[in-house]
């Protein structure tokens, strides 16, 4: 019984140590799981925010494209000509001036102001196309429009000396070579400057012979008159194009960030799953160790009881032996 008690004591001690170790492991794993779940929740939230931002940008892109498709801001006569050209009722129609050029970033307001309603002038291949389009508008009672035939419009460029931030407006846009004389005709002699103060200086230096436009849309006209105030854009097509380009670039960047966030969320989920599995294993081992400890404690109680009874029996036998020896 003493040998069995010693073995059971050792087994019980081992079970207690295992249980203590597993409880510590469980505690550490629980903290890690909670931490990783928090990181997972944050990663999921980041991904959802990016998805919402992407969706908002795409909706804005769709709206702007719809405005472009419907030629929002253009005169009804321009829309009528473009619709007739799309339906092949008119030939040789290239489109409004706004469609043949792109503006250097930051100069959209200045160029829109410089062009004014010329933005809606329609570029056509030749004067025959222009006459046909005018006839169409007349027959349809669809209004009036200005046409720029490629074979008749002549352009000229300012070739004087400019100072400060002054630049020729035609140098602030890009177009295909075949349209350059159209751009020179419309913007070749208009000067763009930073602000109205500089515009006054430049206009005076040029003898008030050229139209001067500021970055925010204020104007000193040839002859010296001033036009300004709050900026009113005729169509806003350049700003719309710029916003579309910016939104498309934004969507690409957001999508890259979303992919990274998705990857991060997947990594955090894998960590949570792995730690959860480890925690489940530790809990299972802990249950086994707890059962082993309970079993050992019960066995030890039984052995202690049996050992006590054995000791009592041995003492009783000793007393009997002593009495017999005395009789003997």
């Amino acid at each position: 019984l003493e040998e069995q008690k010693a073995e059971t004591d050792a087994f019980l001690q081992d079970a207690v140590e295992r249980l203590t170790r597993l409880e510590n492991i469980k505690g550490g794993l629980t903290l890690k799981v909670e931490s990783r779940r928090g990181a997972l929740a944050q990663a999921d939230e980041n991904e959802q925010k990016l998805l919402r931002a992407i969706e908002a940008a795409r909706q804005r892109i769709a709206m702007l494209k719809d405005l472009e498709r419907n030629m929002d801001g253009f005169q009804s006569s321009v829309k009528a000509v473009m619709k007739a050209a799309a339906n092949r009722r008119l030939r040789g129609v290239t489109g409004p001036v706004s469609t043949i050029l792109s503006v250097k970033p930051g100069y959209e307001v200045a160029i829109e102001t410089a062009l004014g309603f010329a933005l809606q002038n329609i570029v056509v291949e030749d004067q025959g196309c222009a006459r046909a389009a005018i006839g169409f508008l007349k027959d349809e009672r669809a209004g009036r429009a200005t046409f720029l035939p490629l074979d008749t419009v002549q352009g000229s460029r300012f070739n004087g000396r400019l100072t400060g931030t002054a630049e020729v407006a035609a140098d602030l846009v890009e177009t295909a070579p075949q349209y350059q004389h159209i751009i020179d005709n419309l913007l070749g002699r208009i000067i763009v400057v930073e602000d109205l103060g500089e515009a006054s200086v430049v206009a005076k230096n040029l003898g008030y012979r050229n139209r001067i436009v500021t970055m925010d849309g204020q104007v000193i006209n040839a002859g010296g008159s001033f036009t300004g105030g709050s900026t009113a854009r005729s169509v806003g097509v350049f700003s719309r194009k710029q916003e579309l380009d910016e939104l498309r670039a934004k969507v690409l960047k957001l999508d890259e960030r979303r992919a990274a966030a998705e990857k991060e969320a997947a990594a955090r989920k894998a960590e949570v799953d792995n730690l959860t599995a480890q925690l489940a294993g530790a809990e299972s081992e802990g249950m086994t160790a707890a059962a082993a400890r309970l079993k050992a404690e019960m066995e030890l109680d039984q052995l202690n009881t049996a050992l006590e009874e054995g000791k009592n029996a041995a003492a009783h036998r000793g007393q009997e032996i002593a009495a017999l020896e005395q009789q003997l």
Side-chain angles (χ1 to χ4, degrees), residues 77-79 81-82 93-97 118-124 130 133 137 145-149:
S77 57
V78 177
K79 293 180 182 179
V81 170
M82 295 310 299
V93 177
T94 300
V97 168
L119 266 173
Q120 304 196 39
N121 292 354
I122 302 172
V123 180
V124 293
L137 289 174
T146 299
F147 297 90
L148 303 173

Side-chain angles (χ1 to χ4, degrees), residues 38-248:
L40 174 58
Q42 185 61 52
D44 283 337
E45 177 61 22
N46 290 340
E47 184 180 0
Q48 292 303 313
K49 283 183 180 177
L50 289 168
L51 285 171
R52 290 193 292 270
I54 289 171
E55 181 59 25
R58 284 177 175 164
Q59 287 179 0
R60 179 66 178 169
I61 288 172
M63 187 194 75
L64 291 174
K65 288 174 72 174
D66 191 53
L67 291 175
E68 275 196 339
R69 185 167 52 253
N70 294 327
M71 299 187 71
D72 181 71
F74 284 87
Q75 299 177 90
S76 59
S77 57
V78 177
K79 293 180 182 179
V81 170
M82 295 310 299
K83 184 176 180 180
N87 294 332
R88 299 186 179 180
R89 294 181 62 187
L90 292 173
R91 69 168 186 86
V93 177
T94 300
V97 168
S98 59
T99 64
I100 68 168
L101 58 85
S102 59
V103 182
K104 185 176 179 181
Y107 290 92
E108 292 82 9
V109 173
I111 297 302
E112 287 184 24
T113 303
L115 287 170
F117 281 103
L119 266 173
Q120 304 196 39
N121 292 354
I122 302 172
V123 180
V124 293
E125 289 182 1
D126 52 47
Q127 54 185 308
C129 297
R131 288 195 296 269
I134 289 173
F136 165 79
L137 289 174
K138 185 178 178 181
D139 293 341
E140 297 291 325
R141 297 182 181 276
R144 299 167 64 85
T146 299
F147 297 90
L148 303 173
L150 292 176
D151 63 343
T152 62
V153 175
Q154 303 298 314
S156 61
R157 303 267 303 190
F158 175 84
N159 54 12
R161 181 174 175 271
L162 295 174
T163 59
T165 65
E167 294 186 74
V168 177
D171 293 334
L172 301 174
V173 303
E174 293 183 357
T175 189
Q178 66 266 32
Y179 304 127
Q180 189 60 56
H181 60 290
I182 299 287
I183 300 305
D184 290 342
N185 175 272
L186 298 172
L187 298 172
R189 303 194 65 79
I190 298 175
I191 310 301
V192 176
V193 298
E194 180 71 26
D195 54 41
L196 197 56
E198 187 177 7
S200 297
V201 175
V202 173
K204 183 178 180 181
N205 291 340
L206 298 178
Y208 298 99
R209 292 186 297 273
N210 295 80
R211 191 174 181 216
I212 315 297
V213 180
T214 68
M215 295 280 285
D216 63 349
Q218 315 307 320
V219 181
I220 299 180
N221 300 292
S225 62
F226 282 56
T227 302
S230 60
T231 304
R233 299 178 221 173
S234 59
V235 181
V237 289
F238 298 136
S239 300
R240 198 155 62 208
K241 283 181 180 178
Q242 181 192 24
E243 186 178 359
L244 270 171
D245 291 340
E246 289 175 352
L247 284 169
R248 289 185 180 112

